[in-house]
């Protein structure tokens, strides 16, 4: 009997040892995740990709300590649809958030919900842009809509609030504060830390404004693009620096300057009435005191020179103004990423935390004479992607395979050892992160943009993109195809769709595109349905 009791005790002890061990192994093997996303951050403005415009030493750390993807792209280059794709792991035609106009369908399952149901602490801070609150997070603080740069309002899980300061600093304070409160025990966490900057209208923190207005930046090769050798869409888009960028809203010309100049300033576009006054008006007395001398110098230069400048000079001036503000906003984002990475180092969290840095899409920094995004052409279609994962991703590696924002949910779920829902449509990029290319088979990606007619007037289009080619179909009020040879025409200034020597390529890619639309469950019927839904919304406005 004694022996029996003894062996029972031993078995019980062994069993409890085993379960403790299993849970410890589980804890250790489930990494924390920090998903960082900035709004409209072009890869051309991260020095790990390209150091001609700006140094971003903190974001670059993720490249030197992790992996940089040179061929990461989005499925639809616009804010809320991209975010919905990231959160659901589905193309827009399935999650339904095809554009910025309609609210997100909250019956869609988002990956934070799955993390929360699987023992992760979860949170979101910053810009979401869904028209409703996030699901599946223990705590959130989001900007209403696009949010503001100065002294922004927030919708939080505890109520609405307004915080004094500069938006990028505040979002970072919130993220670090949450980590301080919630990340110190054994439960793993998944935090989404989402900057508003560098979204239009690019109001920098006052000290950065001062610093960056002293700089000049190299012009892109296609700044003076005339859109020849392409179809209608590039010619009719309204995002040209000279003709569509606003003096007040974008270039920071004060309303008083404009009225003083009177007839000398023939407006090329209808200006938004409060384009300057509203964001500037949100600044505090102290912030204005720092902004004003810089604004004075911009406005004085403008008054003295604009009336006699040629169109070429105007374009160049607008480009410099644009870059000064956009890059100054990025500099604040980079400083704040530095704060966060230092915090992870100091607390020892860095070791078991995956840090992802990306944007909701790319952005034109004067390429093709443009700002904004939306097109499947490179600068908008591609998005930065850097992943640091100590012990898994080899430091300093560069990956050229084609990956998409569609893949993020599945990747993060797999990293956390959580099963993915069957209806997600991406691929986990974990084989690439582990350096195991044999398990990577993707040869092409699918793209579909919908928001038309709307601001910037980029026509609806879908496309198939391989490393070598890009075949695009613009539809709705046109029916036009374009083909680009990505290797021989990296600036995409020459559509070779009608070139007979590419006939076979066109034939093959068209067949692949049909197959791809079938594979992802997209169809002409859905295209039509979304146009009807959109038109209905325009009528009801
Ligand atoms: C705002 C911008 C546009 C931009 C859209 C969508 N104008 O309307 O330039 O294309 O947002 O951007 S703004 O000066 O008022 O900000 S997105 O990133 O949200 O998709
Ligand atoms: Ca965006």
């Amino acid at each position: 009997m004694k022996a029996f009791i003894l062996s029972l005790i031993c078995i019980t002890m062994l069993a409890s040892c085993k379960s403790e061990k299993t849970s410890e192994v589980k804890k250790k093997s489930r990494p924390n995740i920090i998903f960082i996303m900035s709004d409209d951050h072009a890869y051309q403005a991260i020095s790990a990709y390209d150091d001609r415009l700006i140094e971003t030493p903190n974001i670059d750390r993720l490249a030197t300590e992790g992996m940089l993807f040179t061929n990461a792209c989005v499925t639809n280059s616009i804010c809320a649809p991209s975010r919905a794709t990231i959160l659901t792991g589905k193309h827009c035609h399935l999650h339904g958030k095809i554009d910025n106009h309609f609210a997100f369908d909250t019956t869609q399952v988002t990956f934070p919900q799955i993390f929360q149901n699987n023992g992760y602490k979860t949170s979101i801070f910053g810009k979401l842009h869904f028209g409703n609150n996030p699901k599946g997070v223990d705590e959130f603080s989001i900007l209403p809509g696009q949010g503001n740069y100065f002294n922004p309002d927030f919708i939080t899980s505890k109520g609405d609030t307004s915080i004094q300061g500069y938006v990028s600093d505040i979002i970072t304070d919130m993220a670090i504060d949450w980590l301080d409160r919630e990340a110190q025990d054994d439960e793993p966490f998944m935090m989404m830390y989402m900057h508003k900057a560098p979204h239009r209208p690019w109001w920098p923190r006052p000290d950065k404004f001062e610093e960056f207005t002293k700089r000049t930046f190299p012009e892109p090769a296609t700044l003076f693009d005339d859109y020849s050798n392409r179809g209608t869409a590039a010619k009719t888009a309204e995002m040209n620096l000279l003709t569509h960028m606003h003096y007040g809203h974008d270039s920071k010309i004060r309303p008083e300057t404009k009225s003083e100049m009177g007839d000398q300033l023939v407006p090329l576009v209808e200006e938004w009435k409060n384009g300057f006054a509203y964001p500037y008006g949100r600044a505090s007395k102290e912030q204005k005191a720092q902004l004003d001398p810089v604004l004075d110098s911009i406005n004085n230069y403008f008054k003295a020179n604009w009336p006699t400048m040629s169109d070429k000079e105007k374009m160049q001036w607008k480009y410099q103004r644009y870059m000064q503000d956009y890059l100054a906003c990025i500099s604040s984002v980079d400083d704040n990423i530095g704060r966060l990475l230092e915090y992870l180092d100091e607390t020892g969290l860095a070791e078991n935390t995956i840090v992802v840095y990306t944007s909701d899409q790319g952005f034109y920094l004067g390429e093709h004479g443009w700002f904004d995004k939306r097109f499947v052409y490179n600068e908008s279609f591609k998005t930065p992607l850097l992943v640091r994962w100590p012990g898994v991703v080899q430091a300093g590696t560069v990956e050229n395979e084609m990956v998409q924002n569609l893949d993020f949910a599945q990747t993060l779920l797999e990293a956390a050892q959580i099963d993915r829902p069957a209806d997600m449509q991406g691929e986990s990029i974990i084989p690439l992160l582990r350096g195991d290319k044999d398990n990577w088979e993707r040869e092409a990606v699918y793209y579909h943009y919908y928001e038309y007619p709307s601001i910037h007037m980029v026509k609806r289009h879908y496309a198939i993109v391989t490393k070598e080619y890009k075949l695009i179909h613009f539809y709705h009020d046109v029916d036009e195809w374009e083909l680009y040879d990505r290797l021989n025409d990296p600036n995409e200034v020459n559509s070779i769709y009608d070139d007979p020597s590419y006939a076979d390529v066109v034939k093959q890619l068209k067949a692949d595109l049909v197959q791809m639309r079938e594979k992802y469950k997209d169809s002409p019927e859905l295209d039509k349905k979304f146009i009807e839904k959109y038109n209905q919304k325009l009528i009801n406005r």
Side-chain angles (χ1 to χ4, degrees):
M1 186 65 188
K2 226 174 166 186
F4 174 73
I5 292 174
L6 255 175
S7 56
L8 206 71
I9 293 172
C10 273
I11 291 169
T12 320
M13 275 172 65
L14 268 175
S16 82
C17 265
K18 194 170 171 245
S19 80
E20 257 167 43
K21 205 164 168 213
T22 321
S23 78
E24 207 188 323
V25 168
K26 181 117 181 142
K27 252 182 258 160
K28 287 210 176 125
S29 60
R30 299 225 299 175
N32 306 311
I33 293 162
I34 300 185
F35 182 85
I36 314 175
M37 189 156 84
S38 298
D39 196 2
D40 294 356
H41 192 168
Y43 60 88
Q44 311 91 292
I46 294 180
S47 42
Y49 281 92
D50 183 341
D51 61 5
R52 281 174 296 180
L53 293 173
I54 188 170
E55 289 296 330
T56 49
N58 298 299
I59 298 171
D60 289 6
R61 262 190 74 184
L62 299 175
T64 45
E65 295 167 14
M67 185 175 277
L68 175 140
F69 288 82
T70 59
N71 245 326
C73 64
V74 294
T75 65
N76 181 1
S77 179
I78 183 160
C79 187
S82 166
R83 288 156 201 263
T85 289
I86 288 170
L87 285 167
T88 61
K90 296 182 204 168
H91 274 281
C92 295
H93 56 275
L94 292 197
H95 60 61
K97 186 92 183 91
I98 55 158
D99 55 42
N100 280 339
H101 298 332
F102 293 93
F104 177 67
D105 168 7
T106 52
T107 63
Q108 290 287 325
V109 175
T110 58
F111 80 76
Q113 287 167 279
I114 309 174
F115 272 88
Q116 194 181 45
N117 291 337
N118 282 275
Y120 267 71
K121 291 186 176 180
T122 54
S123 61
I124 294 188
F125 301 102
K127 180 172 169 185
L128 183 62
H129 200 197
F130 265 9
N132 40 46
N133 293 343
K135 278 188 155 176
V137 284
D138 310 334
E139 195 170 315
F140 68 85
S141 246
I142 54 166
L143 296 157
Q146 296 284 8
N148 286 293
Y149 278 105
F150 299 124
N151 314 315
D153 302 327
F154 284 91
I155 302 166
T156 85
S157 26
K158 296 172 197 135
D160 295 355
T161 182
S162 172
I163 301 178
Q164 292 297 297
Y166 186 69
V167 70
S168 311
D169 301 335
I170 297 170
I171 294 170
T172 311
D173 292 345
M174 287 172 166
I176 292 178
D177 173 61
W178 185 78
L179 291 175
D180 237 5
R181 284 185 283 113
E182 301 293 340
Q184 310 308 329
D185 55 24
D186 289 334
E187 264 176 280
F189 65 84
M190 193 289 297
M191 178 177 84
M192 302 188 84
Y193 160 51
M194 324 261 267
H195 280 287
K196 172 200 166 49
H199 192 276
R200 195 181 184 196
W202 319 297
W203 276 89
R205 204 174 69 178
D207 57 328
K208 298 281 184 187
F209 191 37
E210 194 183 346
E211 184 187 336
F212 276 74
T213 43
K214 294 188 182 114
R215 301 197 190 173
T216 48
F217 299 94
E219 292 169 6
T222 54
L223 183 63
F224 298 98
D225 197 345
D226 62 2
Y227 314 116
S228 54
N229 304 321
R230 271 149 289 169
T232 316
K235 296 179 180 71
T236 53
E238 296 181 356
M239 48 203 227
N240 181 278
L241 294 177
L242 180 64
T243 45
H244 305 108
M245 188 171 257
H246 293 181
Y247 301 114
H249 183 71
D250 299 313
S251 305
K252 320 280 185 294
I253 297 307
R254 290 183 166 126
E256 306 87 79
T257 306
K258 287 200 263 169
S259 38
E260 271 174 52
M261 290 174 75
D263 288 347
Q264 295 179 82
L265 183 75
V266 182
L268 294 164
V269 275
E270 181 79 13
E271 291 263 342
W272 294 326
K273 204 163 154 272
N274 291 321
F276 177 93
Y278 179 74
Y280 174 75
R282 291 193 63 96
S284 66
K285 220 169 127 203
E286 294 74 31
Q287 288 163 334
K288 281 183 184 157
Q290 261 188 298
L291 293 170
D292 281 341
V294 188
L295 287 167
D296 287 345
S297 115
I298 293 167
N299 279 260
N300 290 338
Y301 182 90
F302 186 80
K303 264 188 276 188
N305 295 286
W306 186 265
T308 58
M309 278 184 191
S310 65
D311 275 357
K312 184 176 178 212
E313 287 165 334
K314 286 177 179 171
M315 181 69 153
Q316 289 174 317
W317 180 85
K318 276 187 141 176
Y319 170 74
Q320 292 302 333
R321 278 280 44 256
Y322 169 36
M323 281 302 92
Q324 289 166 348
D325 297 349
Y326 178 92
L327 295 167
C329 289
I330 286 185
S331 181
S332 283
V333 169
D334 188 65
D335 288 355
N336 278 298
I337 303 303
R339 282 177 63 204
L340 183 94
L341 295 181
E342 261 169 46
Y343 176 85
L344 297 180
D345 288 341
E346 283 161 13
T347 49
L349 283 170
E351 204 188 315
N352 194 33
T353 302
I354 301 175
V355 181
V356 177
Y357 187 87
T358 190
S359 174
D360 56 345
Q361 4 72 204
F363 213 68
Y364 296 103
L365 304 185
E367 298 87 358
H368 305 291
W370 287 333
F371 62 105
D372 214 66
K373 55 262 178 173
R374 296 159 194 267
F375 276 112
V376 70
Y377 305 138
N378 274 339
E379 293 79 6
S380 137
F381 165 69
K382 283 169 66 165
T383 193
L385 179 64
L386 302 100
V387 182
R388 184 178 81 176
W389 187 358
V392 174
V393 172
Q394 201 189 326
T397 40
V398 174
E399 179 53 70
N400 299 321
E401 290 301 324
M402 299 192 76
V403 300
Q404 264 190 314
N405 58 349
L406 183 69
D407 305 325
F408 295 172
Q410 274 162 252
T411 303
L412 298 178
L413 288 169
E414 188 181 329
Q417 299 158 30
I418 304 171
D419 290 340
R420 69 167 175 100
D423 60 353
M424 284 191 172
Q425 297 183 301
E427 299 282 336
S428 160
I429 65 169
I430 289 202
L432 298 177
L433 292 171
R434 292 191 190 282
D436 175 13
K437 285 216 192 193
D438 295 345
N439 289 319
W440 188 258
E441 286 169 359
R442 180 184 282 155
E443 285 183 356
V445 296
Y446 180 59
Y447 182 90
H448 200 154
Y449 173 79
Y450 298 85
E451 195 182 283
Y452 177 86
S454 186
I455 185 168
H456 303 302
M457 295 302 276
V458 171
K459 291 187 188 296
R460 287 174 191 236
H461 57 293
Y462 55 81
I464 180 170
V465 186
T466 66
K467 282 187 188 160
E468 291 86 16
Y469 297 105
K470 191 176 280 180
L471 178 74
I472 316 169
H473 183 212
F474 290 95
Y475 69 99
H476 181 36
D477 57 355
V478 287
D479 179 7
E480 293 180 7
W481 291 83
E482 293 180 10
L483 176 72
Y484 293 92
D485 181 332
R486 301 187 77 196
L487 303 179
N488 293 313
D489 176 23
N491 288 336
E492 301 174 318
V493 287
N494 191 24
S495 169
I496 34 121
Y497 179 77
D498 292 321
D499 181 337
S501 58
Y502 286 90
D504 288 348
V505 173
V506 167
K507 198 168 160 218
Q508 182 63 50
L509 284 175
K510 277 195 170 174
D512 294 347
L513 180 56
V514 169
Q515 265 192 9
M516 194 160 235
R517 273 168 60 89
E518 272 168 22
K519 171 183 153 190
Y520 287 126
K521 304 188 171 65
D522 202 1
S523 63
E525 292 73 39
L526 278 178
D527 300 347
K528 206 167 147 239
K529 187 189 108 187
F530 286 126
I531 291 171
E532 279 162 11
K533 191 174 165 204
Y534 193 87
N535 288 347
Q536 206 51 43
K537 173 119 184 177
L538 290 185
I539 294 165
N540 294 336
R541 232 183 223 172

